Amino acid sequence: MSTRHWLLATLCATTLMAGCAGLLQKPQSPQLSIAGLSLVGGNLFEQRFVLKLRVQNPNDFDLQLNGMRYKLELAGQEFVQGQTNQPLTIKRLDSDILEVDAYVKLFELFKQAKSLAVNGKVPYRLTGEALVGESNWHLPFDKQGEYDLSALEKLKGFQMLPNGPQ
């Protein structure tokens, strides 16, 4: 093989390996936050909520979300946990909303409401893992924050609990 052909073959092989290495790079974990929580139904034993999660893609390439396991804690107590296999593609350096069903037992909901009414601020923690890409990378996420419910109490006729603290 001539030197010219050897150099061309080496250049092609190097380019191909560099391209493949980029495809096999493990993506950064998506960043999640709570975008909304709506009660959509229920009965005496459990209530059904729709939990809206904002999923942000910090990567410089589209992120194919194939599923997710999650747990939401409010005021240090587990509120809901669940999983979804709903696919979602988040464009590079962009975000989108993922809606998932969440079920809560009535007794747990009453315990949560009592602890939420104490100071009007609700610390939350959203943890879990996203299943991403064709190889189903398991990418963990952990988001903590606090919601101030005092603005809700200023709405006419709104109370956290009937006969709750004034």
Side-chain angles (χ1 to χ4, degrees):
M1 182 187 289
S2 72
T3 304
R4 186 174 176 185
H5 287 112
W6 184 83
L7 285 173
L8 183 60
T10 303
L11 179 63
C12 288
T14 303
T15 303
L16 183 61
M17 286 191 303
C20 290
L23 293 174
L24 298 176
Q25 179 183 11
K26 185 175 181 179
Q28 293 180 44
S29 292
Q31 299 165 355
L32 279 87
S33 58
I34 300 170
L37 181 66
S38 302
L39 178 64
V40 292
N43 58 39
L44 183 60
F45 296 102
E46 76 177 8
Q47 284 60 56
R48 180 174 157 248
F49 291 85
V50 171
L51 178 61
K52 294 181 182 181
L53 301 172
R54 175 161 304 281
V55 184
Q56 297 177 336
N57 178 5
N59 298 286
D60 197 21
F61 49 86
D62 292 355
L63 199 60
Q64 177 61 47
L65 185 67
N66 300 319
M68 177 185 303
R69 293 179 188 93
Y70 63 91
K71 180 170 69 170
L72 175 61
E73 296 175 5
L74 297 177
Q77 298 179 23
E78 183 177 311
F79 182 62
V80 295
Q81 68 175 342
Q83 57 191 17
T84 181
N85 63 358
Q86 180 180 344
L88 177 67
T89 300
I90 303 123
K91 300 289 183 192
R92 63 184 279 279
L93 304 172
D94 201 359
S95 68
D96 206 344
I97 299 290
L98 176 66
E99 293 186 5
V100 295
D101 288 334
Y103 298 90
V104 179
K105 292 183 172 67
L106 183 62
F107 178 72
E108 294 299 321
L109 187 60
F110 282 138
K111 282 188 352 186
Q112 290 288 342
K114 186 175 181 180
S115 68
L116 297 180
V118 174
N119 64 8
K121 292 189 179 185
V122 183
Y124 73 89
R125 183 174 184 196
L126 178 64
T127 60
E129 63 182 359
L131 306 174
V132 175
E134 291 183 21
S135 57
N136 274 331
W137 292 102
H138 291 241
L139 303 178
F141 56 87
D142 189 338
K143 169 72 175 177
Q144 296 184 51
E146 187 174 77
Y147 282 106
D148 186 355
L149 299 179
S150 61
L152 291 176
E153 294 170 354
K154 293 176 184 173
L155 296 175
K156 185 176 180 182
F158 181 85
Q159 283 185 307
M160 290 297 294
L161 287 174
N163 301 320
Q166 301 296 323

